[in-house]
Amino acid sequence: MRYKRAYFAGGCFWCTESDLQKATGVVEVVSGYAGGVIVNPTYSDVTSEKSGHRETVEVYYDEKMTTYEKLVQYYLMHIDPTDDGGQFYDRGESYQSVIFYLSEEERLIAEKSLRELDEAKVFDAPVAVRVLPYKNFYTAETYHQNYAEDNTIKYCAYRESSGRDAFLKKYFDTKSWGAYWKE
């Protein structure tokens, strides 16, 4: 069976990877770099803020179990969608939130989900997630893959100290999908 792919940048890819691995219908999540100008960038290239890449995850999903729209919504409920300068204490272009679309249909779905979240007036600031055309993806170094699972103590400390979990609990912990998106 051939799975569909989706690409999301949501700050540190360790967190984005770990969160999206738990989404219904997701088969595999790979950490990497997308959207930049350097071929086969390294972590150092990307975090130097000179390559134009974002830390991104490549998500393989079973469309019999979920939809692209549900993945976009799930992703949005696991980041701070109002932060234009990165995510939590990871700052800079390489940590900005981006939905990279593969088709016009995906672009329209992403824009609709962002618009509906913004119209829900949940936040004091407007939704700032970028929607950009997919142009490349390079798999990150091996030590970045499955980081949360392979480095549980370090990952949990990083995630807690970044403020990500407190933010997610405040805005999304008890909300259903319908609280933000028209079902």
Side-chain angles (χ1 to χ4, degrees):
M1 169 178 232
R2 184 168 158 87
Y3 297 112
K4 300 273 290 185
R5 291 174 297 137
Y7 295 89
F8 302 106
C12 173
F13 47 34
W14 299 342
C15 296
T16 311
E17 177 191 68
S18 177
D19 288 337
L20 282 163
Q21 285 173 335
K22 297 170 184 79
T24 299
V26 169
V27 177
E28 182 181 8
V29 182
V30 178
S31 287
Y33 314 110
V37 295
I38 295 175
V39 175
N40 294 318
T42 65
Y43 180 72
S44 179
D45 292 332
V46 174
T47 58
S48 74
E49 302 298 331
K50 295 177 184 161
S51 75
H53 291 87
R54 274 54 167 224
E55 287 195 13
T56 303
V57 294
E58 180 178 52
V59 178
Y60 291 87
Y61 66 98
D62 184 341
E63 63 184 329
K64 292 178 183 173
M65 297 178 66
T66 193
T67 64
Y68 181 75
E69 183 174 31
K70 288 294 180 192
L71 284 178
V72 168
Q73 293 168 353
Y74 186 92
Y75 153 79
L76 291 170
M77 292 181 76
H78 289 85
I79 63 169
D80 175 353
T82 66
D83 191 342
D84 189 41
Q87 284 290 294
F88 306 98
Y89 66 28
D90 292 315
R91 312 311 303 156
E93 180 181 50
S94 62
Y95 295 109
Q96 288 174 331
S97 297
V98 178
I99 299 169
F100 291 102
Y101 62 88
L102 295 168
S103 68
E104 182 66 8
E105 179 184 11
E106 286 184 359
R107 181 187 68 78
L108 293 171
I109 289 168
E111 289 175 350
K112 175 181 174 272
S113 295
L114 293 172
R115 187 174 53 257
E116 288 176 352
L117 182 58
D118 208 28
E119 288 171 356
K121 301 285 184 215
V122 176
F123 309 103
D124 293 333
V127 172
V129 176
R130 289 168 174 77
V131 178
L132 300 174
Y134 169 86
K135 69 176 186 179
N136 55 39
F137 178 81
Y138 301 99
T139 301
E141 296 82 353
T142 302
Y143 68 93
H144 288 300
Q145 307 305 321
N146 297 305
Y147 189 88
E149 187 177 311
D150 295 343
N151 302 279
T152 305
I153 294 171
K154 286 182 183 179
Y155 171 74
C156 289
Y158 162 81
R159 187 173 172 114
E160 178 67 27
S161 66
S162 75
R164 183 181 286 258
D165 286 336
F167 178 89
L168 298 179
K169 184 173 180 70
K170 177 179 178 181
Y171 287 103
F172 299 119
D173 195 42
T174 60
K175 306 294 189 290
S176 70
W177 293 114
Y180 304 108
W181 292 278
K182 299 171 179 101
E183 296 188 88

